[in-house]
Amino acid sequence: MRAGRTVAVFGASGHTGRFVVAELRARGFVPLLVGRNAEKLLALVAGEAGPEPEPEPGQGPEGWVRVASVEEPASLDRAFAGADAVVNCAGPFAETAAPVIEAALRAGIPYVDVAAEIEANLDTFAEFGAKARAAGVVVVPAMAFFGGLGDLLVTAATEAAGWSAADEAHIAYGLSGWHPTAGTRDAGAVSRQRRGGRRVRYADGRLEYRDDAAPATKWDFPEPMGTRAVIGEFSMADIVTVPSHLTVTEVRTYMTVEAARDLAAPETPAPAAVDAHGRSAQTFVVDVVVRSGDVERRATARGQDIYAVSAPLAVEAVRRVIEGRVKGTGVLSAGAAFDAADFLRALSGHVSVEVE
């Protein structure tokens, strides 16, 4: 891959967007900072070091900052002009995914997003699969902590076992706590509204919307976390990404009770940086168990800060798509698009992974 490939980051000044911009720069990419607010974008430029594209003719150093909104398709076209790919970090994705994907298709460039919204991801698969294939463009939704990492772990465990299908995939999120961003809260509100306050799960090979309470149970996480109380069927984007390419009857996700309480409490503050990389003190264990018949396979990932770790996931995906290390075109989840085991190895330094 030649140096200096340019990647547009829509929502660059947001919490996850800033991590993505920093990761792109650290890997030698040139980020184009795209969003509504020019002042916030310019402040991000001033606060970050790294390679920069040539300003557009007649412009000063602001040439790598491009103001655009989903309400103005022409502004997106201008913003993505000359880019080799686009990463969408701006939620709620129910509002931004479709317009930004459409702009990427017009530009003929790959699209990656960090959407955790179940409904938005369903929309992407349903609305853009055929369009993206016809355009020869790769679209990778949910390429983040929720949706992407779990899908890669399930896929790696399944492939390690030599299975073409599985009966069950269980993905347990052991978070030390959860200080949600404003974007997370907004996206959650949009999802709850779209599903009429019901919860959703994936069982018997399909999505089910339910009015009853999610079950309370326990999960035996690897040490040192150990056995923890969890909320069962705490559904995240994995119930969309995993079944999009794997034949599996049930996909269930679980969340530690402490993290779920933090997320639900309106007074929980946003994440605060504790290190030079801007990461919070939050730690996580993602523990995956895949079962076929009486046989189980396990895969586990450990790391720090669920928002920060979305950046290497998204940027590694961009790198592989640009290099042609992708398994097809159209809308593809992480596990369908990439060699899962190799991708997880590439996250070394950000995520520690074990596949049994």
Side-chain angles (χ1 to χ4, degrees), residues 12-29:
S13 63
H15 188 83
T16 302
R18 293 195 297 273
F19 283 119
V20 170
V21 169
E23 184 71 16
L24 285 167
R25 283 177 165 152
R27 292 182 180 226
F29 289 94

Side-chain angles (χ1 to χ4, degrees), residues 1 6 12 57 61 83 97 136 175 192 219 221 235-236 258 274 288 294 303 327 350:
M1 185 184 74
T6 301
L175 308 188
R192 286 191 297 274
W219 187 271
F221 289 96
S235 296
M236 303 304 292
E258 298 89 345
V274 297
V288 165
D294 296 329
K327 295 181 180 179
H350 301 281

